[in-house]
Amino acid sequence: MTMQIDVKNLSLQFGNHYALKDVSFQLSDNKIYGLIGRNGAGKTSLLSLLASFREPTNGTLKINGEIPFENAKIMQQVNFIFNKDNQDETEKLERVLGDVQRYRPNFDMEYANYLVKKFNLPIDKPIRKLSKGMQSAVNAVIGLASRTPITIFDEVYNGMDAPTREVFYQELLEDQSEHPRIIILSTHLVSEMDYLFDEVLILNKGQLVLHEDYETVVTKGASITGASEAVDAFTQSMNILNTKQLGNTKSVMVYGELRDVDRKLAHQNGLEVGPISLQDLFIHLTEGEE
Amino acid sequence: MPRIYPKVAKDMFLVQGSWAFGFMEVMLIIQFVKIMSSILSDVKIVSSLFKESGGVNTYFDSLFIASNIFMLVIGIISAVSVLSHYVSNGVTRKDYFKGTLIGTLGLAITIPVAGAIISAVITFIVNLLNIPVNMNPLDGSMNETEGHLIADLILSIIFTPYEDPSSSWLLAIFIFAINIFTYYVAGWLIGAAFSRFGIFGIVSIVLAFVLIYIEDILISISLGLPVPSFITITELPLAFSVIGTFVLIAIYCWLIRLMTKKIIVKY
C-alpha cells in the first residue's frame, strides 16, 4: 500500500516561537526520504506531527486524505521511531517485540528475530541494561520489523557504532526494496547516509528550504575551480553558496542548473567543474547568522 | 479494521494484573510472617490499627487496606507512561482510554475475588492444622473520629468502607471492588492532570481527595458505619450509594478523557 502525505502551510508554535512555519510538501511514493536540518531546525517537531504525538497550530496535515490525529486507521500505519529513554524499561526484548507485534498489523517476528541476531542483541536481558548502542539497535529492529507503510527514524542511529550503523543501512535498503514503503530518515550524518536517500528535504529554522530528488540536488550543485578572475566572470550570474580562495586559485560552490553549454564554456576557460556533496550543500544552505 | 480497544483492555488487565500478582505475593508473605510470629512469640499480634480483640487479621482484610494505595499508584503510572507507550505504538488516545477503563474494571473485580479465595484457603489450613492463631475480621468502625475534618480525610484514605466477608462474601467483594476502582480513578486523574498541566496538575489532588471522601461517606452511611459528624443523614439504601458512587466515578472518568483527549506525547 502506498500512502500519501500532504502537508499544507503547516505551522507549530510555542508561544512566540515557531518550531515550524508554513511548511508545505507532498510525499507520495514509496521512497526513502532524507529529512535534514541543523539542531532545532524543526525536524522532530515535524515528525511528531506526522506521528500524531501532537496537533499542529496552523495548516493541514493529511495522510491518504485524512487527518491522522486520533485516527485509528492512519495511526496504526505510522511508526515514529526515536531514541526514547529506556532507563525504566524492565521488560526483556522478547516481550517488547511481542507487544509491538500486537499493535502493528504488518509486524514480521521472523524478520525481527533475524535482525536481533544480526545486531547481536541479547533477547533475555531487560532493555534498560543494554548499552546505548544496543538500545538504538532495538529501536531500529522495531522500526524495520513493524513494516509500517510510513516508517520514521529520528536519529535512531546516533548511539550505534559505525559497523552497526552500516548493518542498519544495508538492512534498511534491502527491506525497503522487498517491502516498499515511505521511510523518512532524519539525520545529521548527511555524508554517511546520503546514498540512502531517494529524495531530500532540508529544514532550516522551521522552514522547508529544499525538497528535491537526491540526483537532482547533487547535479544542480557544482564547484567551479580555477583562476580567480575566470571563476568570477563565469559565476557572476549564478547562485553562489560559498567561496574559497587560495592564492590566485578560487573555488566557488554554485547551486542551480548548470547546462551543458555552461560546462563546455567552463572547460574552454580552463575551469574545473566538480560535483558537490549533499553535506556541502546542506552546510551552505543552512548556514548564516543564528 | 479490527477494533483495537479490546486488545488494550486485555493487555491492561494482564499487565496491571501481573503487578497486582506481585503485590499480592508480598502481602501473602507478610501474612505468613504475621501468623508465624504470632505462633512463635505466643504474643498475640495486636496491630495498633486494630481493636484490642487481638489476633491476626485475615489476608482479605490486609489486602483490603493495602490495595487502595496500590491502585492509586498504578492509576498514576497508567496516565503518565502507559498512554505514551500506546500512542507511540499507533493506538489512539480514545482506544487507550476505553481499553484501560475496561481492563481495570476487570482487575478491580479480580483482586478481591482472588483475595477472598486465598484468604479462605489460609483460614482453612489454619483450622485444619489447628494452628493457635486468632483470625479476626477488621472492625468497620475503626474510622471513627471526633469530627476533625483532616483526621476524617486521612482516615478515609487509609480505611475505606469495609464489609466483613464472613457476614456476606458477595457484598464484601463488591465493596472491595468499588473501593479499589475509586482509588484507581483518583490516581488516573492525578496522573492525567500532571501530564496535561504540569505542576498545575497539583489541583487534581484535591479533586481526587473529594472523590475518595464522598465515596467513603456514601458507602459508609449505607453500611451503617460511622461517618463524620457533619453528615446528618443516617440511612441510605445501598443501591443509592452505589449508584451515586458510579455516577461520581463516571464524571471523573469523563474529566480524565477530556484531559487526555488531545494530550501531547512527549518524546
Side-chain angles (χ1 to χ4, degrees), chain A residues 12 14 44-45 48 51-55 69-80 82 84 89 91 95 99-104 142 154, chain B residues 1-2 4-12 15 18-19 84-95 257 260-267:
Chain A
L12 181 65
F14 300 112
T44 303
S45 293
S48 68
S52 303
F53 277 29
R54 63 186 319 140
E55 285 183 294
F69 191 82
E70 285 297 275
N71 183 332
K73 205 168 67 191
I74 304 291
M75 279 176 70
Q76 212 175 46
Q77 311 292 345
V78 184
N79 202 352
F80 179 29
F82 55 99
K84 63 172 167 236
E89 185 54 90
E91 294 287 3
R95 279 283 302 269
D99 197 36
V100 176
Q101 186 183 24
R102 281 178 64 70
Y103 295 96
R104 296 295 183 188
I142 292 172
D154 187 14
Chain B
M1 198 183 75
I4 296 168
Y5 75 87
K7 244 193 245 183
V8 178
K10 186 181 165 198
D11 286 2
M12 285 304 278
V15 169
S18 74
W19 298 340
S84 54
H85 165 78
Y86 276 114
V87 174
S88 60
N89 275 303
V91 175
T92 60
R93 293 151 183 82
K94 192 178 186 177
D95 281 330
R257 172 71 186 130
T260 54
K261 206 173 175 178
K262 294 191 168 185
I263 202 161
I264 294 167
V265 171
K266 303 199 175 67
Y267 39 83

Side-chain angles (χ1 to χ4, degrees), chain B residues 57-66 119 136-138 162 164-165:
Chain B
N57 48 300
T58 65
Y59 179 70
F60 186 84
D61 298 344
S62 308
L63 196 65
F64 179 85
I65 292 182
S119 201
N136 288 328
L138 282 180
Y162 169 79
D164 177 13

Side-chain angles (χ1 to χ4, degrees), chain B residues 17-18 20 29 32-33 36 63 72 74 88 90-91 94 96 99 103 105 136 166 190 215 218 225:
Chain B
S18 74
I29 293 167
F32 182 69
V33 170
M36 288 308 287
L63 196 65
L72 184 86
I74 66 168
S88 60
V91 175
K94 192 178 186 177
Y96 152 80
L105 266 171
N136 288 328
S166 56
I190 294 171
E215 184 259 358
L218 278 175
L225 298 172

Side-chain angles (χ1 to χ4, degrees), chain B residues 48-216:
Chain B
S48 58
L49 294 172
F50 309 114
K51 285 265 166 160
E52 283 152 17
S53 51
V56 178
N57 48 300
T58 65
Y59 179 70
F60 186 84
D61 298 344
S62 308
L63 196 65
F64 179 85
I65 292 182
S67 293
N68 294 330
I69 302 302
F70 169 75
M71 290 297 271
L72 184 86
V73 172
I74 66 168
I76 295 172
I77 294 173
S78 164
V80 173
S81 68
V82 180
L83 189 148
S84 54
H85 165 78
Y86 276 114
V87 174
S88 60
N89 275 303
V91 175
T92 60
R93 293 151 183 82
K94 192 178 186 177
D95 281 330
Y96 152 80
F97 175 78
K98 279 161 101 178
T100 302
L101 197 63
I102 297 166
T104 307
L105 266 171
L107 184 69
I109 296 164
T110 308
I111 291 177
V113 170
I117 293 170
I118 296 168
S119 201
V121 170
I122 295 173
T123 311
F124 177 74
I125 294 171
V126 164
N127 291 340
L128 191 74
L129 302 178
N130 220 359
I131 301 172
V133 180
N134 214 358
M135 303 283 258
N136 288 328
L138 282 180
D139 185 338
S141 63
M142 64 209 160
N143 55 349
E144 202 164 3
T145 57
E146 278 126 39
H148 193 282
L149 185 67
I150 301 296
D152 274 351
L153 267 174
I154 291 170
L155 277 176
S156 73
I157 286 163
I158 302 172
F159 302 112
T160 36
Y162 169 79
E163 176 66 24
D164 177 13
S166 56
S167 52
S168 164
W169 277 106
L170 219 55
L171 183 61
I173 287 170
F174 184 61
I175 298 293
F176 192 145
I178 294 181
N179 276 334
I180 58 175
F181 191 69
T182 307
Y183 272 80
Y184 185 89
V185 171
W188 205 10
L189 179 91
I190 294 171
F194 273 93
S195 302
R196 178 79 174 72
F197 303 112
I199 188 69
F200 299 107
I202 209 153
V203 178
S204 69
I205 295 177
V206 178
L207 285 175
F209 264 124
V210 170
L211 171 69
I212 290 167
Y213 199 42
I214 297 179
E215 184 259 358
D216 181 30

Side-chain angles (χ1 to χ4, degrees), chain A residues 76-284:
Chain A
Q76 212 175 46
Q77 311 292 345
V78 184
N79 202 352
F80 179 29
I81 305 290
F82 55 99
N83 274 320
K84 63 172 167 236
D85 181 13
N86 279 317
Q87 291 287 76
D88 304 320
E89 185 54 90
T90 51
E91 294 287 3
K92 292 166 184 165
L93 180 55
E94 216 170 1
R95 279 283 302 269
V96 170
L97 292 176
D99 197 36
V100 176
Q101 186 183 24
R102 281 178 64 70
Y103 295 96
R104 296 295 183 188
N106 302 336
F107 192 90
D108 184 341
M109 190 54 97
E110 210 176 301
Y111 179 50
N113 286 327
Y114 158 82
L115 289 172
V116 164
K117 281 205 189 87
K118 195 106 189 180
F119 285 117
N120 289 322
L121 296 172
I123 199 120
D124 52 354
K125 252 192 187 176
I127 304 280
R128 67 189 172 95
K129 292 208 171 144
L130 302 184
S131 69
K132 198 162 181 332
M134 280 183 169
Q135 291 190 8
S136 299
V138 167
N139 292 331
V141 171
I142 292 172
L144 287 173
S146 294
R147 294 216 175 110
T148 35
I150 297 176
T151 304
I152 301 166
F153 290 101
D154 187 14
E155 314 262 8
V156 285
Y157 7 82
N158 270 358
M160 300 179 190
D161 56 21
T164 312
R165 288 204 299 273
E166 212 40 53
V167 172
F168 174 64
Y169 301 151
Q170 285 318 310
E171 287 304 328
L172 182 92
L173 283 177
E174 264 175 48
D175 204 55
Q176 156 73 4
S177 68
E178 279 172 42
H179 302 273
R181 57 200 126 139
I182 290 181
I183 292 182
I184 303 174
L185 302 172
S186 111
T187 187
H188 300 289
L189 303 173
V190 183
S191 58
E192 187 179 299
M193 294 175 69
D194 55 5
Y195 75 97
L196 298 170
F197 307 149
D198 295 312
E199 280 185 31
V200 177
L201 294 98
I202 297 181
L203 270 180
N204 190 35
K205 294 175 188 161
Q207 290 181 302
L208 189 67
V209 292
L210 181 139
H211 176 200
E212 298 240 41
D213 208 62
Y214 175 69
E215 291 302 323
T216 315
V217 172
V218 180
T219 49
K220 263 189 175 176
S223 70
I224 316 290
T225 312
S228 205
E229 301 79 37
V231 170
D232 283 342
F234 183 76
T235 59
Q236 62 171 338
S237 61
M238 290 182 180
N239 180 13
I240 296 172
L241 291 179
N242 183 42
T243 307
K244 267 187 223 157
Q245 182 131 20
L246 196 69
N248 193 34
T249 308
K250 204 171 192 180
S251 179
V252 170
M253 215 178 270
V254 293
Y255 188 72
E257 215 88 45
L258 206 62
R259 294 163 302 168
D260 279 351
V261 189
D262 298 323
R263 285 176 194 270
K264 259 187 200 151
L265 187 69
H267 196 68
Q268 281 164 9
N269 291 336
L271 297 173
E272 206 179 298
V273 180
I276 61 171
S277 67
L278 183 62
Q279 167 102 333
D280 289 329
L281 197 65
F282 164 55
I283 292 171
H284 299 297

